[in-house]
């Protein structure tokens, strides 16, 4: 067997350029070495990481360099060469300690042409280099065996509309993210970013999905239609090779696909109609081929003859689809999954671009360092201690593995302390290969071992994202296929790694809890107080008072400048401070309330009557019809003003009074008098 790297690369037609330490292949630097066998373990291969070159490589992975080399570990055989490709799993400080080794199994490799993953502790992508003659597929006839009438049965699959639509988005994003397609397309002047359009034509009962991804040549085009013909590389989102067929024929009876691969002048088109297939039961179908400019690329899918109960109608259904797809593909939409972060994936539904928001973690305060020191003193052997000096916001990032039934599952977690309280914002989101599988907005997962009771501070303020790339999912990709034992192991492992974080936030909640109205911005650790009144500031910790002083000084300086520029009036600090103190501070509720066709915006304020109602300002008229102000910090309510349950109750009481008043009209003077009496009574009680 050949043990010369350059000879092996040449033998298997790998085009490379040799540099001092690396081989430059297909736009990336590779460090290539050989695996050794493990004594008395015939199935196991390994590479020691204690040498200087490997230690240097691991330090590169642990550093902040954007471009990190890929490690190839070769094991030559008679007719092929096994390759274990390591990358992200090298981001482990434990590899710097002692003479550890990276292991993988021969039995984890599939047949030549397949791509699998190792089941050992340090995850590797496993494939073969092998001698082959690539034959260009010129036959535009497709065999649709087994029996063609099986397509009709897909209508009985258990899909939700958004999960079925997600199958098409998965195919489009996989076509962009896989191989080197991003680099190729991003290098084109005519290409901005991946765009996916999903449109429902109600009048013609058509669903159209169109993308500008890499597209398909004939071989992949045929595979997309054939049953039980999964892609060779199963590491992407379209691992099952069934989503296009199952989702399309779940929606309707007729599927048309046309596609052109970038660089090809061939466009392929095929229509499958279950009415025709069931009637004549063909064994083969003819693909239509036409010529297009080589600059054309992408795929268009048209589903017609939509089943009546699968029609996409109604504002509530469309709203839910947009919400769910925005959640499932939030990382794509935010650009997290793109190599070029300035090229986020754009997804449109009926012309509306989907949007996604990031969760914002709390600023780190000085007192948190004290609480961390307390935790360290009480738990001196704790090995997952957070480094507060290395970040501005309170979160932890952990990578680890969980062993279950002899298989290592690799877990990545980012979890932290949110800046805003709210049970609907807290919880876990579970990802696989960059897309959400479980955990939706308002329905985040809250395992008891991590979040405790529903009214706990963790359930109100702790949020995390968990990547479980090598745990299998269901066919519809709406849940993981894992046992309760494995779930318990994963959540227990996460909890063990955030005990210090939970200790800090529990202590901070007890001693220094932020009053309602504080908003923390990630970008500026001093920008803590956005909307707050002076009475609340007086009750907060010394830490927050110092930060508030920073903001107050800036506000005073702004007032002095405004008076000088706008009113040509020179004022001193004391006069500016009086102007600042006279300002009413208001904080809007997060939602618009609608009752009998009238939309109400609620503002929590620090002055005035308990309840007041007014018409909206000009800039508010598009979002509401009435503005309701509630003095939430009235002396009678001050001690409850931070309690979310109290705010919920008091908001509903105020809305009940105001909506009655608005609906009855001004001619019912008694209802106006009723609110006036309530305000007078509360004012006197205060």
């Amino acid at each position: 067997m050949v043990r010369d790297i350059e000879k092996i690369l040449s033998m298997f037609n790998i085009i490379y350029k040799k540099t001092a330490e690396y081989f430059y292949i297909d736009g990336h630097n590779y460090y290539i070495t050989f695996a050794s066998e493990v004594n008395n373990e015939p199935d196991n291969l390994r590479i020691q990481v204690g040498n200087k070159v490997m230690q240097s490589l691991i330090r590169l992975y642990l550093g902040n360099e954007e471009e990190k080399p890929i490690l190839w570990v070769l094991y030559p055989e008679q007719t092929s060469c096994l390759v274990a490709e390591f990358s992200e799993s090298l981001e482990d400080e434990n590899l710097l300690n002692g003479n550890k080794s990276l292991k993988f199994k021969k039995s984890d490799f599939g047949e030549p042409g397949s791509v699998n993953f190792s089941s050992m502790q340090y995850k590797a992508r496993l494939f073969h280099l092998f001698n082959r003659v690539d034959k260009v597929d010129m036959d535009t006839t497709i065999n649709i065996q087994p029996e063609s009438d099986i397509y009709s049965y897909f209508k009985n699959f258990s899909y939700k509309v958004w999960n079925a639509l997600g199958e098409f988005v998965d195919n489009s994003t996989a076509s962009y993210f896989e191989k080197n397609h991003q680099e190729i397309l991003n290098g084109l002047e005519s290409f901005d970013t991946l765009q996916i359009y999903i449109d429902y034509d109600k009048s013609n009962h058509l669903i159209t999905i169109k993308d500008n991804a890499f597209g398909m040549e004939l071989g992949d085009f045929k595979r997309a239609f054939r049953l039980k013909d999964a892609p060779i590389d199963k590491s992407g989102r379209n691992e099952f090779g069934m989503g296009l067929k199952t989702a399309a024929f779940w929606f309707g009876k007729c599927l048309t696909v046309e596609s052109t691969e970038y660089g090809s002048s061939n466009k392929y088109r095929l229509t499958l109609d279950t009415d025709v297939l069931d009637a004549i039961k063909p064994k083969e179908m003819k693909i239509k081929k036409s010529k297009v400019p080589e600059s054309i690329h992408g795929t268009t899918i048209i589903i017609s003859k939509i089943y009546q109960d699968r029609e996409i109608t109604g504002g509530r259904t469309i709203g839910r689809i947009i919400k769910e797809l925005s959640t499932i593909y939030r990382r794509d939409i935010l650009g997290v999954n793109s190599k070029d972060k300035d090229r986020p994936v754009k997804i449109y539904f009926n012309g509306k671009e989907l949007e996604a928001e990031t969760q914002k973690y709390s600023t780190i305060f000085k007192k948190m360092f004290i609480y961390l020191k307390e935790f360290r003193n009480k738990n001196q052997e704790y090995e997952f201690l957070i480094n507060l000096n290395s970040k501005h916001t309170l979160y932890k990032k952990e990578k680890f593995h969980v062993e279950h039934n002899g298989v290592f599952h690799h877990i990545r977690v980012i979890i932290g302390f949110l800046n805003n309280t709210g049970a609907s914002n807290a919880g876990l989101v579970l990802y696989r290969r960059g897309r959400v599988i479980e955990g939706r907005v308002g329905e985040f997962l809250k395992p008891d071992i991590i979040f405790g009771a529903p009214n706990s501070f963790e359930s109100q303020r702790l949020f995390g994202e968990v990547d479980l790339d090598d745990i299998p999912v269901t066919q519809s990709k709406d849940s993981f296929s894992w046992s309760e034992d494995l779930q318990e192991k994963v959540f227990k492992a996460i909890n063990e790694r955030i005990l210090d974080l939970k200790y800090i936030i529990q202590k901070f909640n007890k001693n220094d809890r932020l009053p309602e109205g504080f908003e923390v911005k990630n970008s500026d650790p001093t920008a803590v107080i956005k909307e707050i009144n002076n009475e609340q500031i007086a009750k907060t910790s010394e830490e927050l008072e110092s930060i508030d002083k920073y903001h107050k000084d800036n506000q005073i300086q702004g007032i002095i400048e405004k008076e000088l520029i706008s009113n040509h009036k020179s004022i001193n600090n004391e006069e500016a401070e009086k102007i600042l103190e006279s300002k009413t501070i208001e904080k809007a509720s997060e939602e618009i309330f609608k009752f009998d066709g009238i939309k109400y915006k609620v503002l929590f304020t620090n002055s005035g009557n308990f309840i007041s109602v007014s018409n909206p300002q000009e800039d508010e008229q598009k979002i509401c019809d009435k503005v309701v102000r509630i003095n939430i910090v009235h002396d009678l309510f001050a001690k409850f003003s931070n309690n979310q349950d109290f705010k919920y109750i008091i908001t509903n009481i105020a809305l009940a009074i105001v909506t009655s008043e608005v609906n009855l009209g001004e001619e019912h003077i008694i209802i106006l008098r009723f609110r006036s009496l309530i305000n007078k009574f509360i004012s006197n009680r205060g």
Side-chain angles (χ1 to χ4, degrees), residues 359-371:
Q359 293 282 24
K360 295 180 180 179
Y361 293 119
S362 166
T363 296
I364 293 174
F365 300 96
K366 288 181 181 178
K367 285 201 172 182
M368 292 179 179
F369 288 87
I370 297 172
Y371 301 143

Side-chain angles (χ1 to χ4, degrees), residues 284 349 477 497 568:
E284 295 180 335
F349 185 83
K477 301 177 188 173
R497 286 162 172 77
H568 306 290

Side-chain angles (χ1 to χ4, degrees), residues 180-236:
N180 60 342
H181 293 175
Q182 277 193 77
E183 291 92 331
I184 293 172
L185 294 178
N186 290 350
L188 303 176
E189 288 186 11
S190 59
F191 184 84
D192 178 26
T193 188
L194 174 62
Q195 299 181 32
I196 305 166
Y197 294 87
I198 305 170
D199 291 291
Y200 178 67
D201 183 343
K202 183 179 178 181
S203 59
N204 293 307
H205 308 284
L206 293 176
I207 297 173
T208 304
I209 302 97
K210 185 175 183 179
D211 68 48
N212 63 338
F214 203 76
M216 294 180 280
E217 231 332 306
L218 187 56
D220 288 331
F221 191 84
K222 286 183 176 183
R223 186 181 296 112
F225 282 93
R226 286 195 295 259
L227 300 172
K228 297 182 180 180
D229 196 350
I232 292 172
D233 188 346
K234 297 180 178 61
S235 62

Side-chain angles (χ1 to χ4, degrees), residues 412-431:
R412 297 194 306 275
V413 180
I414 178 168
I415 187 166
F417 175 34
L418 289 175
N419 60 2
N420 285 326
T421 304
S424 63
N425 295 323
L428 295 181
V429 182
L430 307 185
Y431 286 81

Side-chain angles (χ1 to χ4, degrees), residues 541-574:
S541 66
E542 182 180 340
E543 167 75 15
L544 294 177
E545 287 176 356
S546 65
I547 296 172
D548 177 54
K549 184 177 184 302
Y550 171 89
H551 280 273
K552 190 174 181 181
D553 291 345
N554 282 347
Q555 289 174 311
I556 288 171
Q557 186 61 35
I559 291 171
I560 292 172
E561 292 174 1
K562 182 179 179 182
E563 288 293 316
L564 185 63
I565 295 170
S566 302
N567 302 324
H568 306 290
K569 182 180 178 182
S570 178
I571 61 174
N572 57 32
N573 279 20
E574 290 182 5

Side-chain angles (χ1 to χ4, degrees), residues 356-491:
E357 295 183 358
T358 57
Q359 293 282 24
K360 295 180 180 179
Y361 293 119
S362 166
T363 296
I364 293 174
F365 300 96
K366 288 181 181 178
K367 285 201 172 182
M368 292 179 179
F369 288 87
I370 297 172
Y371 301 143
L372 180 62
K373 186 177 180 180
E374 286 179 12
F375 177 86
R376 186 173 61 240
N377 291 338
K378 293 178 181 179
N379 305 273
Q380 294 188 7
E381 295 183 0
Y382 187 69
E383 58 181 313
F384 309 112
L385 203 66
I386 189 172
N387 182 4
L388 294 182
N389 291 308
S390 66
K391 48 176 69 79
H392 295 304
T393 51
L394 190 61
Y395 70 92
K396 290 189 80 171
K397 247 176 139 175
E398 294 284 343
K399 288 180 67 173
F400 56 94
H401 68 272
V402 171
E403 186 275 330
H404 184 67
N405 293 338
V407 177
F408 289 90
H409 299 284
H410 299 78
I411 318 295
R412 297 194 306 275
V413 180
I414 178 168
I415 187 166
F417 175 34
L418 289 175
N419 60 2
N420 285 326
T421 304
S424 63
N425 295 323
L428 295 181
V429 182
L430 307 185
Y431 286 81
R432 188 169 190 266
R433 300 174 183 176
R435 56 102 83 193
V436 172
I437 302 297
E438 295 185 46
R440 303 285 199 268
V441 176
E443 300 174 7
F444 295 133
L445 303 179
K446 296 186 180 180
D448 291 344
I449 192 172
I450 298 174
F451 291 89
N455 61 346
S456 69
F457 195 54
E458 290 90 333
S459 281
Q460 303 289 322
R461 214 70 176 254
L462 198 62
F463 175 79
E465 297 179 84
V466 185
D467 286 89
L468 307 168
D469 285 352
D470 51 10
I471 294 178
V473 292
T474 59
Q475 174 74 43
S476 56
K477 301 177 188 173
D478 58 356
S479 62
F480 284 92
S481 293
W482 55 350
S483 66
E484 290 185 8
D485 288 345
L486 179 55
Q487 287 185 52
E488 186 177 337
K489 283 184 178 181
V490 170
F491 294 142

